[in-house]
Amino acid sequence: MSASAPNAAISDLRNRIARLEGGNSREKAVLPFGISSIDDHLPSGGVALGALHEIAGGGNGAIDGAAASLFAAGIAARTQGKVLWCVTRQDLFAPAIAQVGLHPDRVIYVEAGDDKSLLACFEEGLRHVGLGAVVAEVARLSMTASRRLQLASEGSGAMGIAIRRWRRQTETADFGQPTASVTRWRVSVLPSRPLPVPGVGRARWQLELIRSRGGETLDIEVEACDAQGRLALPSKLVDRPAQKEIGRRLAVAG
């Protein structure tokens, strides 16, 4: 046996271990948020494509999953290709995710009978080349299952988004268990910013990046995704005297 043979075997073994751990020696494409205070905390400056990510709601949002779903939809809306969305409950409000840029003609919905079937659909979708993202509402996510999802995502290049959603508040402790996901987010609803005129302002979230492999954690207040799926930092324009005066005049005129 030549001297290079053992080296090749060791290199192959290292690559296999890296894949099992969710690593990948190749440079991954990323999807930036376009907000430096968020992108700077993520490896390569954005959310990795071809990788698994977890999103959960904070507080009561862990049960209803509304903010987490909208955040996931905003990310998926900025990928290329169709989006497969897997659910076990018939309460996903399609017009809401359309308002954050994910239009119905891009979404393929799959309803699974139970969590086991949902995970199977999730993995099979991630193995399909050509999808931009696969989103699934998952209650429990073991390390073994998450590794399979991560490997499937790496193989196809599709982004995997697991929306962690539970039926009881006591079950949310499962979110603290380790998984192979590249990032883990929590989205909590905040009061909308007051407007200088009657009406409802843009929704706001407390966005927490709890885990970022190769990056840093983050806790930041943002304005919710717009019609292009993009976040924004809270605007200070309404605090300026000129804007307040304009708002006062409009209110008087009305």
Side-chain angles (χ1 to χ4, degrees), residues 98-140:
Q99 288 181 351
V100 296
L102 188 56
H103 298 286
D105 58 351
R106 288 191 57 200
V107 185
I108 303 170
Y109 299 100
V110 174
E111 183 182 348
D114 51 43
D115 288 345
K116 183 178 179 180
S117 300
L118 182 138
L119 284 172
C121 293
F122 195 3
E123 182 179 345
E124 188 62 29
L126 285 173
R127 294 190 185 282
H128 181 75
V129 177
L131 292 174
V134 181
V135 183
E137 298 179 1
V138 181
R140 298 186 63 85

Side-chain angles (χ1 to χ4, degrees), residues 121-232:
C121 293
F122 195 3
E123 182 179 345
E124 188 62 29
L126 285 173
R127 294 190 185 282
H128 181 75
V129 177
L131 292 174
V134 181
V135 183
E137 298 179 1
V138 181
R140 298 186 63 85
L141 186 63
S142 67
M143 177 62 80
T144 299
S146 64
R147 279 176 174 168
R148 292 178 63 91
L149 294 170
Q150 173 65 21
L151 289 172
S153 186
E154 288 179 359
S156 67
M159 179 185 291
I161 303 177
I163 299 176
R164 306 299 305 277
R165 186 180 175 192
W166 301 272
R167 296 184 182 276
R168 290 175 290 275
Q169 199 70 35
T170 54
E171 297 175 347
T172 60
D174 188 65
F175 196 50
Q177 298 300 313
T179 65
S181 61
V182 174
T183 64
R184 178 178 284 178
W185 305 80
R186 181 161 51 215
V187 189
S188 303
V189 176
L190 296 174
S192 298
R193 190 174 185 86
L195 295 176
V197 294
V200 179
R202 183 171 172 177
R204 292 189 301 163
W205 296 332
Q206 193 68 34
L207 186 63
E208 299 172 75
L209 177 55
I210 299 173
R211 167 181 165 78
S212 176
R213 185 187 300 164
E216 304 173 10
T217 58
L218 173 68
D219 190 341
I220 188 172
E221 182 181 319
V222 298
E223 292 187 341
C225 298
D226 62 12
Q228 285 74 46
R230 297 190 178 278
L231 300 172

